[in-house]
Each structure stands twice: as structure tokens, then as C-alpha cells.
Amino acid sequence: MDFQHRMKRTAVGTIVQRSIADLKTDPKRALRRLADLGQMTFQGENQQLCVDCVQKAIEAPNSPYYELLLRVAQDANPETLRMLSMNLGYTSFTYGVRQVRAQQEVLRRHLPPFILFDLQKNAEDNILAKMPGLIDEARELGVFSFALDLRHDFGELNQILQFARKYTESTFLLNMPASLITEGTAQALGQMRNCMLALKADSDDMESAAALLRKNACVYGASLRVSAETATVVQTNAMLHQLGQAGCMYTLLIPQNLAPSQLSAMAQFVDAAREDAQLNTFPVNWQIDTAYLADAFSPGSDLLIWRRGGTISLGHLEMSVPAPATLRQAILTIMPAV
């Protein structure tokens, strides 16, 4: 970032810090201030629509979001909340979007709002060694946000935290097995200011893992894979409330090979759950909400998935192709044309 943008980031950071402090005493005022800040800094039409959605949500009578945000402000480290807000709201969706627009004119390809590194596969390759270079490339292009889908491997988690510490102005969403959470890893994650976490909820360790993350003031939620077999169990308010009681601030609902009618039912469930007066965890429809995010970032874009085992794909297409050596080559290979 150049000097001008660092000055702007500092100024925005002051407002964000004050708003986070106000969440505990006057959440309505804090959210209005943040929404006003979004209107001033976001320039794209679709970005403004995102701000409008937030304003409508917080202006609704008896909005359940105030209680949820009050709990987030009480449970999470305020410096982590400030850093994540800055990294997502300013670095990614203000400064980053401007960089992306310039790069898209050169590459003639859309750029993704974030890159998902899928590390679950047992294939052994050098993806962790390549990842810092790919992140450097992404940041040069204006992409500052990354998601990582982790397997149970303590060594890999430590490697990821080591390079995440280098990129203080980037956001890392770590979707991880609950079995990775111990006293030691929870303490290390609690010291990460640019990481938000999602615990895979299909584990007996979920409750104890969530308690350790809460103890260390982490920003965390849960992730649930929704298949035809699990949909009736997962898509219930009782399940969401149970996760909310465990301190999960958000719950990612990730569809797995659902038919169109099942995807529609899932979308209806999420929409209804967001209006629930007893809302205690924010449900995220991974398929719909990431598409909306991509469109706000760059209309016509999609998220990019880089998989262990050497393939890449787009977030909302089944097709995958061999991963090239560099991120630029991947963008030219698979991202939609501008």
C-alpha cells in the first residue's frame, strides 16, 4: 500500500475502533456508524447494495442482530475485531477493489474476491510451500482474503499460522476439524488478529473445542456440510441454537451435491433463520452468499479454489483443471472473461 492509502486505513481504523467499543453500550449507534462508513468508502453499485442490506437489517424493529453483536463484542478480542473489520472492509473491499479493477483491464479476466485453498486431500504435494508465493501474487493483484479448508494435521496448522502472521493486512478464514483445538493451539489462535475460524461441527470434540476458543477470545463459528442425507437434521433452528450456545458467532452451511429443489429449501431455511427473534449465530448460505460477495467485489466474478493434489476450479462450477505454476496463469486459465 502507498502512503495515501495507509493514511486512509488509519483514519478508517479509528472509526472502526470507536464503533467496536460502542457495541457493548450502544450497538445501534455503532452499527449505524459502520454502515455510514461503508457508504462513504464503498464505491461500486453492488457494494452499496450490501450496505443497504445491512442498514435495512439494523433498522428493522426488534432486530435480533443487536443481541448477537453484543455477545460478539463481549466474547471476542476487540483488537481482532478491529483488524478483521479493517482487513475485510477497507483493505479487501475498498483498496483491493480499486487495485483489482486496474488489473482486470490488463488481464481481461475477473479476479476472485478470495481464494480457497482446499487442503483436505491426502495427496502429498508442495502446496504449503507454494502458498506464500501464491498469496504474494494475489496481494499484488488486489486480492487480500483467503480461506483454507484444513485436515487434521498439527504441523500444517503451525505452518499456516507462521505465514499468516506475515500478512497482517490480509484475512484468513480457517475451516478446521475440532480435533485440532487443544489448549496450545487455542492459545496460539487467540493471538492471531487476522484469522477467523470455523469448526467442522461433525465431531464429538466440537463442544470442548468451542469452549477453548471462547476462553481465548477468538472470532469463531461452525461449518456444516449439508447433503441430502443430513439436510433434515442440519437445517433446523434447534441445531443453529445449539451452535450459538457454544459461542459460534456464525454458521457456514456448505451444500454437498444437493438437487435444485434441496438448494432452494436450504436458501429458504437460511432466510427464515436470519429473521428468527432468538438468533444467536448468523447462518451463512455458502453457495449463495459467496456468489453475492463475488458479485459485489467484481460483477461477474467467482471465487477461486486451489486444491491439494494439483487442480483448480471456480466456486460454483463442477469443472476443474490442472493447477498451473502461478496464480496469474490460473486466472488466465479459469476465471471468467471481463
Side-chain angles (χ1 to χ4, degrees):
M1 283 190 184
D2 58 34
F3 178 75
Q4 180 184 6
H5 287 293
R6 289 196 177 280
M7 290 293 291
K8 289 182 180 179
R9 180 181 163 94
T10 301
V12 170
T14 301
I15 299 173
V16 170
Q17 187 172 26
R18 188 183 310 144
S19 300
I20 290 171
D22 284 347
L23 280 174
K24 295 182 181 181
T25 56
D26 193 344
K28 290 186 180 181
R29 182 175 66 179
L31 286 178
R32 286 195 194 100
R33 185 186 291 132
L34 290 173
D36 290 344
L37 179 63
Q39 281 196 323
M40 287 189 296
T41 55
F42 292 167
Q43 296 183 342
E45 180 181 349
N46 289 350
Q47 290 175 299
Q48 289 292 334
L49 288 175
C50 289
V51 175
D52 291 343
C53 288
V54 172
Q55 287 184 318
K56 287 178 183 177
I58 64 179
E59 289 170 359
N62 304 316
S63 173
Y65 296 105
Y66 295 120
E67 288 298 321
L68 176 57
L69 285 168
L70 177 61
R71 199 194 80 214
V72 170
Q74 291 171 337
D75 286 356
N77 185 299
E79 180 58 21
T80 303
L81 290 177
R82 186 190 72 83
M83 184 68 76
L84 289 172
S85 299
M86 290 293 300
N87 288 358
L88 289 169
Y90 181 77
T91 304
S92 286
F93 270 80
T94 304
Y95 174 78
V97 164
R98 292 171 191 157
Q99 299 294 101
V100 159
R101 287 174 182 160
Q103 292 293 337
Q104 286 180 164
E105 290 298 314
V106 176
L107 297 172
R108 307 306 302 163
R109 290 288 187 277
H110 283 289
L111 294 177
F114 66 93
I115 300 171
L116 168 60
F117 293 102
D118 185 348
L119 307 179
Q120 292 185 93
K121 198 170 182 180
N122 287 326
E124 296 303 323
D125 60 14
N126 64 343
I127 187 169
L128 280 179
K130 291 176 61 177
M131 200 177 297
L134 295 172
I135 290 173
D136 284 336
E137 271 194 278
R139 286 162 53 88
E140 289 172 4
L141 295 171
V143 179
F144 290 88
S145 298
F146 308 93
L148 293 88
D149 198 355
L150 309 184
R151 62 184 181 183
H152 181 83
D153 189 313
F154 287 102
E156 289 189 352
L157 175 60
N158 288 332
Q159 282 183 267
I160 288 163
L161 294 186
Q162 283 178 16
F163 68 68
R165 290 187 188 98
K166 293 169 48 182
Y167 301 107
T168 56
E169 294 179 2
S170 287
T171 299
F172 294 87
L173 169 63
L174 307 182
N175 186 31
M176 59 176 57
S179 56
L180 277 176
I181 305 303
T182 65
E183 288 279 359
T185 57
Q187 187 175 15
L189 289 164
Q191 295 170 355
M192 299 294 297
R193 300 290 169 251
N194 60 341
C195 290
M196 50 195 303
L197 316 170
L199 295 174
K200 298 179 181 180
D202 56 348
S203 169
D204 294 336
D205 302 316
M206 176 69 192
E207 189 172 340
S208 59
L212 286 171
L213 294 181
R214 195 173 200 170
K215 175 183 174 183
N216 286 276
C218 296
V219 173
Y220 72 95
S223 66
L224 290 165
R225 296 192 179 275
V226 183
S227 65
E229 293 74 24
T230 64
T232 55
V233 176
V234 168
Q235 294 177 171
T236 62
N237 284 345
M239 171 66 81
L240 290 182
H241 286 306
Q242 182 180 348
L243 293 170
Q245 288 172 352
C248 295
M249 301 165 189
Y250 42 84
T251 298
L252 313 180
L253 295 166
I254 306 171
Q256 299 287 291
N257 302 316
L258 295 182
S261 61
Q262 295 168 323
L263 289 171
S264 178
M266 178 175 156
Q268 292 174 15
F269 167 74
V270 169
D271 288 344
R274 289 175 178 173
E275 301 298 323
D276 184 358
Q278 304 301 315
L279 180 78
N280 63 352
T281 182
F282 185 79
V284 175
N285 185 327
W286 183 259
Q287 184 176 61
I288 290 178
D289 291 336
T290 55
Y292 186 78
L293 187 69
D295 211 42
F297 186 78
S298 175
S301 185
D302 202 345
L303 67 96
L304 174 64
I305 304 174
W306 200 297
R307 290 186 173 85
R308 166 177 269 139
T311 62
I312 55 173
S313 65
L314 296 180
H316 302 92
L317 292 177
E318 295 295 327
M319 178 191 73
S320 62
V321 298
T326 70
L327 180 62
R328 285 176 183 269
Q329 291 171 338
I331 288 166
L332 292 171
T333 299
I334 202 168
M335 292 302 294
V338 174

